[in-house]
C-alpha cells in the first residue's frame, strides 16, 4: 500500500499487458486492412478461408445475376456459371444450390467426392420453378464422373443439341471408369426432359438418368443407387438405366470384362417415364435391385433396337412390383415386362400393363446364357397385343428360360388377331392359375411347348393340354375392371403354389385354395 499524504496523489494508469496490447494492435490493423481491401480481394480471402474450413459450406449459383468473381457462399454473392460451380473445391457435406427460375447453360461436372455420412449435394434455393441445367448437346447436362457420395435434388435437366445419329447424350450421367466401387448416389425429385441423343445403348449410352460402368482394368461397380420421385420425358434412348462392362460370369460366359462386378443396393421407385425412344427402365448387371411404383407411359417410340417397358439383363433377384406400363410402340419387342438373358430369381408381381402394341410379357433368354427360377405373379394385363408372329400378349421365344413360373395373372384383350401366348419352342415355362380372356372373335394360344395347369380360358382357341382347365366366362366386374364378381368360376378353382406370396394384386390375402387369376378376393 502506498504511503498516504495530505494531498491526493497523481495517478497514472498502469501499462496494459504485452499480450493485450498485441491483440489490440492486431484488431486495429485488421479493421484498417478490411477497410482498405478492395471487394474482389475480400471475396478471394473469404474463399481461401472456406477452403481451410472444417465445417460444410453451401454455395449458391444464380445463372441470371451472379458473378464468378464472388465468393458464392451467400445468395447475394452467388456464382454465375455451372463451370465455376463444377470447379469448386468441395469438401464432404458441402452443397451447391442453383437459383429457382433460372437456366444454366453447359454441363455441371463436379470433380469432388463426398464421404460416408457426409455426401455432396446439388439442389435448389429460392422460389419458383426448379432451376434448369441445359446441356445444349453436350455429353451430359449433369456429369458425375469417377466420384461418389453425391445427391441431386429438385433440378430441371435438359440436353437438346443438333440432331445426331452418332453422339450419345444424357440428361444425368453417373459414370465410373476403372474406379472400384462407387458408393451412395441419390437422384430425388429431378425432372429430365428433351434429350435427343443417338440411338445407342452400351457401353456409352444415351438417355435420361443413366448409371454406367466402363473400363477394363479394374472391376468397377456401384453400391447404393436410388432414383426416386423423378420424371423423364421425351428422351432418347433410355429413360432410366444402368449398364456395365463387368458382366462376365457362368450365367453370361460371353459377357463383357473378365469378371462379374454387379451393381448392388439399386432402388428405382415412384418415378414417371414418358415418351422415351427406347427402353423405359432397364436394370443391367445388378443383384438385388428393386423397381417399384413407377409409371412408364410411351416407350420404344424412336429406336431401331429391341426395347421393353421395364426389364433386366444379366441380373439376379430383382423385384419389380406395383409398376404400370402402357403405350409401348411397335412390335419389335415393345412389351411391358421382360425376363431376358442372364436373369435368375427375378420376380414380377402386382404390376399393371395395358395398351402396349408389343404385349404384356416376353420370356427370352440370351444365347449361351442361364436364365432360371424367375416368377411372374399377380399381375394384370388389359388390352395388350402383338400381332407379329412368333409374338403374342405373352411371347416365349429365344433361348430357354428354365423353371419360369407364370401364375395367378389376369390377362385379357379386346384386340382380335393377337395370340394370348405364342412360343417358338424353347420351353421352360409353367402357366398356372392364370385367367386368359380373349377377344370376342377368340384369341389363340399358339404354344405346344410349355406346361399349363389350372388356368381359366375364355374365348380362347387352341387351348393347350391343361387337365384342370376351366373353360368359362370369368365374370369380371367390367371389361376394364378385372376383379371377380360373386359366382365367378375362378373363385376357389386354383391350386396352391409353394412360395406364392401372401397377397394379390389388390391387396387381398391369398386363400387356400386360391382363386384363378390376380384377384384373390371373395367376389363382388
Amino acid at each position: 500500500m502506498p504511503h498516504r499524504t495530505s494531498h491526493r496523489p497523481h495517478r497514472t494508469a498502469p501499462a496494459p499487458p504485452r499480450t493485450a496490447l498485441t491483440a489490440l494492435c492486431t484488431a486495429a490493423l485488421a479493421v484498417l486492412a478490411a477497410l482498405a481491401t478492395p471487394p474482389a480481394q475480400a471475396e478471394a480471402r473469404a474463399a481461401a478461408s472456406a477452403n481451410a474450413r472444417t465445417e460444410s459450406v453451401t454455395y449458391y449459383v444464380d445463372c441470371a445475376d451472379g458473378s464468378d468473381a464472388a465468393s458464392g457462399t451467400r445468395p447475394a454473392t452467388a456464382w454465375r456459371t455451372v463451370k465455376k460451380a463444377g470447379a469448386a473445391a468441395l469438401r464432404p457435406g458441402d452443397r451447391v444450390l442453383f437459383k429457382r427460375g433460372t437456366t444454366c447453360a453447359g454441363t455441371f461436372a463436379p470433380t469432388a467426392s463426398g464421404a460416408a455420412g457426409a455426401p455432396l449435394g446439388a439442389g435448389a434455393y429460392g422460389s419458383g420453378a426448379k432451376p434448369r441445367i441445359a446441356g445444349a448437346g453436350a455429353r451430359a447436362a449433369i456429369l458425375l464422373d469417377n466420384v461418389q457420395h453425391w445427391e441431386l435434388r429438385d433440378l430441371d435437366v435438359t440436353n437438346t443439341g443438333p440432331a445426331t445419329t452418332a453422339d450419345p447424350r444424357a440428361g444425368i450421367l453417373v459414370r465410373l471408369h476403372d474406379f472400384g466401387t462407387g458408393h451412395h448416389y441419390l437422384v430425388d425429385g429431378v425432372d429430365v426432359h428433351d434429350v435427343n441423343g443417338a440411338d445407342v445403348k452400351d457401353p456409352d449410352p444415351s438417355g435420361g438418368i443413366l448409371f454406367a460402368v466402363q473400363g477394363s482394368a479394374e472391376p468397377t461397380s456401384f453400391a447404393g443407387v436410388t432414383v426416386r420421385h423423378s420424371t423423364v420425358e421425351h428422351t432418347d434412348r433410355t429413360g432410366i438405366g444402368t449398364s456395365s462392362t463387368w458382366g462376365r460370369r457362368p450365367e453370361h460366359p460371353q459377357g463383357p470384362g473378365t469378371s462379374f462386378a454387379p451393381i448392388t443396393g439399386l432402388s428405382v421407385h415412384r418415378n414417371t417415364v414418358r415418351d422415351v425412344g427406347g427402353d423405359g427402365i432397364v436394370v443391367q448387371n445388378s443383384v438385388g435391385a428393386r423397381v417399384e411404383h413407377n409409371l412408364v407411359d410411351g416407350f420404344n417410340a424412336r429406336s431401331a433396337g429391341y426395347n421393353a417397358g421395364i426389364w433386366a439383363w444379366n441380373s439376379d433377384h430383382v423385384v419389380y412390383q406395383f409398376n404400370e406400363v402402357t403405350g409401348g410402340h411397335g412390335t419389335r419387342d415393345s412389351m411391358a415386362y421382360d425376363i431376358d438373358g442372364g436373369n435368375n430369381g427375378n420376380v414380377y408381381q402386382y404390376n399393371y400393363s395395358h395398351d402396349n402394341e408389343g404385349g404384356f410379357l416376353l420370356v427370352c433368354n440370351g444365347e449361351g446364357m442361364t436364365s432360371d427360377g424367375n416368377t411372374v405373379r399377380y399381375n394384370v394385363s388389359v388390352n395388350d397385343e402383338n400381332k407379329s408372329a412368333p409374338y403374342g400378349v405373352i411371347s416365349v421365344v429365344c433361348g430357354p428360360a428354365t423353371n419360369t413360373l407364370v401364375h395367378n395373372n389376369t390377362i385379357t384383350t379386346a384386340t382380335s388377331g393377337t395370340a394370348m401366348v405364342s412360343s417358338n419352342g424353347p420351353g421352360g415355362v409353367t402357366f398356372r392359375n392364370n385367367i386368359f380372356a380373349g377377344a370376342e372373335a377368340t384369341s389363340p394360344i399358339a404354344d405346344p411347348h410349355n406346361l399349363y395347369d389350372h388356368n381359366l380360358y375364355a374365348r380362347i382357341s387352341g387351348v393347350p393340354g391343361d387337365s384342370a382347365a376351366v373353360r368359362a366366362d370369368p365374370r369380371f366386374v367390367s371389361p376394364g375392371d378385372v376383379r371377380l364378381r360373386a359366382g365367378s368360376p375362378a373363385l376357389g378353382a386354383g391350386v396352391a403354389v409353394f412360395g406364392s406370396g401372401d397377397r394379390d394384386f389388390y391387396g387381398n390375402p391369398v386363400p387356400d385354395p386360391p382363386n384363378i387369376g390376380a384377384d384373390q378376393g371373395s367376389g363382388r
Side-chain angles (χ1 to χ4, degrees):
M1 178 179 290
H3 177 70
R4 291 181 176 270
T5 61
S6 60
H7 64 279
R8 172 175 270 175
H10 176 72
R11 303 187 68 181
T12 302
R18 188 174 187 83
T19 55
L21 181 61
T22 301
L24 288 171
C25 292
T26 301
L29 289 172
V31 171
L32 291 173
L35 293 173
T37 301
Q41 292 184 27
E43 296 282 6
R45 289 183 180 180
S49 176
N51 288 335
R53 62 189 158 69
T54 58
E55 297 182 352
S56 61
V57 172
T58 298
Y59 296 97
Y60 299 87
V61 183
D62 179 350
C63 290
D65 298 313
S67 170
D68 285 351
S71 67
T73 55
R74 294 180 295 120
T77 60
W79 291 326
R80 178 66 176 259
T81 67
V82 291
K83 182 178 180 180
K84 176 69 174 181
L90 303 176
R91 300 281 185 92
D94 288 353
R95 296 186 303 162
V96 178
L97 302 184
F98 296 87
K99 187 175 182 180
R100 289 179 177 270
T102 63
T103 296
C104 297
T107 297
F108 177 54
T111 58
S113 289
L120 296 173
Y125 76 96
S127 60
K130 294 177 181 178
R132 176 172 293 178
I133 299 177
R139 178 64 188 91
I142 297 179
L143 177 63
L144 301 182
D145 199 5
N146 271 13
V147 297
Q148 60 181 330
H149 296 289
W150 263 96
E151 299 182 350
L152 306 174
R153 288 186 167 91
D154 302 322
L155 300 170
D156 180 288
V157 179
T158 185
N159 191 10
T160 303
T164 180
T165 59
D167 297 330
R169 293 181 185 138
I172 297 172
L173 175 59
V174 184
R175 184 171 61 190
L176 297 180
H177 187 282
D178 293 329
F179 182 84
T181 302
H183 297 85
H184 186 77
Y185 303 86
L186 172 66
V187 179
D188 184 10
V190 175
D191 300 325
V192 179
H193 56 97
D194 298 301
V195 178
N196 63 336
D199 185 16
V200 293
K201 188 171 186 176
D202 303 318
D204 199 20
S206 286
I209 300 174
L210 303 174
F211 289 80
V213 169
Q214 299 175 352
S216 59
E218 180 178 357
T220 296
S221 67
F222 294 99
V225 174
T226 299
V227 181
R228 68 188 184 198
H229 306 294
S230 296
T231 67
V232 176
E233 185 167 3
H234 194 60
T235 63
D236 295 311
R237 173 183 191 271
T238 300
I240 301 171
T242 65
S243 60
S244 177
T245 56
W246 290 93
R248 181 165 296 190
R249 58 179 180 147
E251 294 83 356
H252 190 12
Q254 302 304 315
T258 56
S259 64
F260 185 52
I263 298 167
T264 59
L266 172 63
S267 174
V268 181
H269 64 270
R270 299 191 184 279
N271 303 287
T272 297
V273 176
R274 297 184 189 273
D275 185 25
V276 290
D279 296 310
I281 300 172
V282 57
V283 173
Q284 298 191 66
N285 235 70
S286 178
V287 170
R290 297 182 72 88
V291 181
E292 54 192 352
H293 296 285
N294 301 287
L295 168 64
V296 175
D297 183 359
F299 62 96
N300 201 25
R302 293 169 292 278
S303 174
Y306 295 94
N307 300 282
I310 297 178
W311 67 291
W313 172 264
N314 199 30
S315 296
D316 296 348
H317 309 297
V318 182
V319 176
Y320 315 81
Q321 59 185 5
F322 309 112
N323 301 290
E324 178 182 353
V325 177
T326 186
H329 297 286
T331 55
R332 192 180 187 189
D333 283 19
S334 199
M335 57 287 302
Y337 308 108
D338 175 13
I339 294 172
D340 216 290
N343 288 181
N344 298 277
N346 293 356
V347 177
Y348 281 105
Q349 59 186 9
Y350 321 129
N351 299 291
Y352 180 38
S353 168
H354 62 100
D355 302 293
N356 293 289
E357 293 178 358
F360 158 57
L361 175 67
L362 175 69
V363 181
C364 175
N365 187 28
E367 183 178 356
M369 302 177 73
T370 298
S371 188
D372 182 77
N374 299 287
T375 301
V376 181
R377 64 190 183 193
Y378 306 114
N379 303 285
V380 169
S381 166
V382 176
N383 286 335
D384 291 320
E385 62 177 271
N386 196 326
K387 300 178 182 180
S388 177
Y391 295 110
V393 176
I394 297 177
S395 305
V396 185
V397 295
C398 315
T402 53
N403 300 307
T404 300
L405 179 58
V406 179
H407 76 87
N408 289 98
N409 302 281
T410 296
I411 304 144
T412 179
T413 186
T415 303
S416 60
T418 185
M420 295 299 286
V421 183
S422 181
S423 171
N424 66 357
V429 182
T430 297
F431 294 93
R432 179 169 290 138
N433 294 349
N434 302 286
I435 293 177
F436 296 105
E440 288 298 327
T442 74
S443 301
I445 289 181
D447 179 18
H449 306 288
N450 295 288
L451 300 177
Y452 290 78
D453 175 44
H454 280 83
N455 301 289
L456 184 150
Y457 307 91
R459 303 177 297 280
I460 299 295
S461 62
V463 174
D466 185 340
S467 61
V470 175
R471 294 174 173 85
D473 187 328
R475 292 177 57 83
F476 295 143
V477 170
S478 71
D481 182 349
V482 295
R483 290 175 296 174
L484 302 175
R485 287 187 287 163
S488 168
L491 295 171
V495 62
V497 176
F498 177 76
S500 63
D502 58 1
R503 58 156 290 171
D504 72 352
F505 179 86
Y506 300 99
N508 300 309
V510 179
D512 186 12
N515 300 340
I516 297 175
D519 179 8
Q520 296 297 306
S522 57
R524 301 179 65 83

